[in-house]
Amino acid sequence: MAQTRSLTPDGARADAHIAVDNPATGAVVGHVADASAQDVEQAVARARQAQPGWAELSARSRAEFFTRGRRWLLTHRQEIIDSIVAENGKTQEDAIVEIVYGVSAFAHWAKRARHYLADTKIRSLSPFVLGRSMYTRRVPLGVVGVIGPWNNPLINSFGDAIPALAAGNAVVLKPSEYTPLTALLMEKMTRECGWPKDVFQVVTGAGATGQALVDTADFVMFTGSTKTGRAVAARAGERLVPCSLELGGKDALIVLADASLERAVNVTLHGALCNGGQMCTSVERVYVEEPVYDAFVARLRRRFEEVTSGRSAGLGSTDVGAMTFPPQMSIVEDHVKDAVGRGARVLVGGHTAPGPGRFFEPTLLVDVDHTMTCMREETFGPTLPVMKVANAEEAVRLVNDSTYGLQASIISSNMKRARHLAERLEAGCVTINDAQTNYMAFGLPMGGWKESGLGVRHGAEGIRKYTRLQAVSVNRFPTRRDLHMLPFDPSAYRSILRLVDLMYGNRLRRRGK
Ligand code: NAD
């Protein structure tokens, strides 16, 4: 990504734009506008105009637009896959996962939004509200600003816009400046599918554009690093607008001695290397119980040696794609160097791969411990440190010895023991005998604890967050006055006390409390 800016005589940026490169080849594959704060304000203003009409549509009508979108994604799948691969450098297989996510997300929110957002009847036994009918209703917030990272140009950007739209909001999406092209394709999709104008817009640009969106939106859905997430939360806090943060992780996997080693190796390999290890849910550290450590490492080493990495030129051409974000190359390299400097051994890989393009060799590290950066900080690359532990207790302690808490996995054949241990892990998502499959279950909330985030995506909470709650109380049969009303009537308060005694006191006396 390179920025070129030209200024008008009054100093405003006229045609500032960003060049997007293909991380697997180094070739420039497109240019996008570097939107100014004023551009963002205007987009949000247009969205604000469009939103009430969108909110007035029935959920069924909005679902109809989603159905058109779903069909568009399927008919244009090759164009979308090519766009994702070109701007992100991932494999075609990893890009197909994004298409499947988009299609199923449209289907899920089209079908379930109405149910998740339905009015809820409230009952109360308070003597002060007897006879009232009460319920809560969900009201869209207005304009939702979605800000996305570069590792999944469709999933973590447009994917989060779908439930926001389903809840009746307009959305302004600011994709990563490294991967903005697929988001623009989604804008094209809404035009070609006849969606109401300005209900979904994309503003492209770097951090300042994102900041301008945080300054104007009614809700911020942010996915990215913990560092930027803090800045977004601070600004949202100043403005007193809600935000949801999906941040970094240092996801751990525990292999128990009773695990099927073949399954353990497959889950670990895929969890660590899919998408080039550039997933918030990537397996970034493994703890193996001592009795199976040697056998597990021997098998995993063979599998790491078999994995290929390089530019994806069609299905089956390569396993691990490019490193999308240029500075990530030196972060990954530093983590490996730091580990080796502190006594770790590199069993496979360990170096940047020759160009063209940005590639890091799939790397397996052993003899690691928690003094090493690779065990404590997010690496976000195709490297994996594996550590021997005396027992599951030590593994649980080490998994929880982290500032992050996004996802953790346990591989075991003893479900009772695995569940019991899983419940002690400090992570928002826990999987047993799997690593990342939970992300595809739209009914299951996904979000991080500790410095991995605030709030969740998916599930009921993943759409309700895009609404304000209104509590309604209706006195359908109003009497002339209530028991508790000025001027006070002593007999009314004697009645209230008798009523409370009847409702709560007698029962307590019967139980001898
Ligand atoms: P990043 O924080 O650098 O950037 C994310 C987005 O924020 C980009 O669009 C960027 O332009 C924008 N931005 C930058 N400064 C901003 C500011 N001050 N205000 C508003 N927006 C601003 O993150 P990244 O490098 O693009 O993404 C990688 C990170 O994302 C990793 O840490 C990864 O774990 C995380 N991630 C988390 C999840 C999750 O679900 N928890 C999913 C994918 C990625």
Side-chain angles (χ1 to χ4, degrees), residues 148-150 174 177 222-225 228 246-248 280 378 457:
W150 42 260
K174 207 296 282 174
E177 57 273 39
F222 175 83
T223 307
S225 64
T228 314
E246 297 291 345
L247 309 177
C280 54
E378 188 179 48
R457 58 162 63 90

Side-chain angles (χ1 to χ4, degrees), residues 390-432:
N391 50 40
E393 283 306 312
E394 187 185 5
V396 169
R397 182 178 61 74
L398 289 169
V399 169
N400 292 342
D401 176 25
S402 174
T403 55
Y404 292 110
L406 188 56
Q407 180 134 343
S409 307
I410 297 181
I411 313 291
S412 170
S413 56
N414 182 337
M415 287 314 103
K416 195 171 168 206
R417 183 172 175 230
R419 276 209 197 113
H420 181 66
L421 290 169
E423 286 170 11
R424 293 170 53 204
L425 298 178
E426 293 168 7
C429 309
V430 191
T431 53
I432 296 173

Side-chain angles (χ1 to χ4, degrees), residues 147-152 156 174-177 205-208 210-211 214 222-226 228-229 231-232 246-249 279-280 325 328 378 380 406 439 446 452 457:
I147 299 175
W150 42 260
N151 60 328
N152 287 307
N156 293 135
K174 207 296 282 174
S176 167
E177 57 273 39
Q211 219 170 332
V214 179
F222 175 83
T223 307
S225 64
T226 298
T228 314
V232 167
E246 297 291 345
L247 309 177
M279 299 276 275
C280 54
F325 184 50
Q328 206 67 36
E378 188 179 48
F380 226 59
L406 188 56
Y439 200 97
M446 187 268 166
S452 289
R457 58 162 63 90

Side-chain angles (χ1 to χ4, degrees), residues 200-359:
F200 173 75
Q201 299 171 70
V202 174
V203 288
T204 52
T209 310
Q211 219 170 332
L213 188 54
V214 179
D215 282 345
T216 41
D218 302 316
F219 181 96
V220 183
M221 171 64 223
F222 175 83
T223 307
S225 64
T226 298
K227 181 167 174 260
T228 314
R230 277 188 211 284
V232 167
R235 181 62 189 134
E238 275 173 39
R239 293 190 57 228
L240 268 188
V241 296
C243 65
S244 183
L245 308 171
E246 297 291 345
L247 309 177
K250 188 74 201 168
D251 302 347
L253 181 142
I254 300 173
V255 180
L256 295 181
D258 59 33
S260 145
L261 280 197
E262 188 56 18
R263 177 77 192 166
V265 166
N266 284 333
V267 171
T268 304
L269 184 84
H270 185 79
L273 298 183
C274 79
N275 218 44
Q278 299 158 104
M279 299 276 275
C280 54
T281 52
S282 287
V283 173
E284 290 226 349
R285 49 194 174 118
V286 176
Y287 303 95
V288 188
E289 277 195 304
E290 198 270 331
V292 292
Y293 175 82
D294 288 340
F296 174 82
V297 168
R299 283 190 196 209
L300 190 63
R301 178 184 191 157
R302 280 198 296 278
R303 302 297 296 281
F304 260 71
E305 283 165 348
E306 285 162 15
V307 161
T308 58
S309 99
R311 187 178 80 84
S312 181
L315 296 183
S317 59
T318 190
D319 296 313
V320 178
M323 299 288 296
T324 314
F325 184 50
Q328 206 67 36
M329 290 292 282
S330 49
I331 294 174
V332 176
E333 209 167 13
D334 288 351
H335 283 201
V336 174
K337 272 192 196 148
D338 170 82
V340 172
R342 291 170 192 270
R345 275 187 304 135
V346 176
L347 290 189
V348 184
H351 305 99
T352 57
R358 292 184 289 276
F359 291 93

Side-chain angles (χ1 to χ4, degrees), residues 42-66:
Q42 286 167 358
V44 170
R46 288 193 297 273
R48 230 179 264 299
Q49 288 255 310
Q51 188 267 332
W54 178 249
E56 269 170 30
L57 294 178
S58 66
R60 269 210 185 89
S61 306
R62 285 196 292 270
E64 177 52 33
F65 287 109
F66 285 6

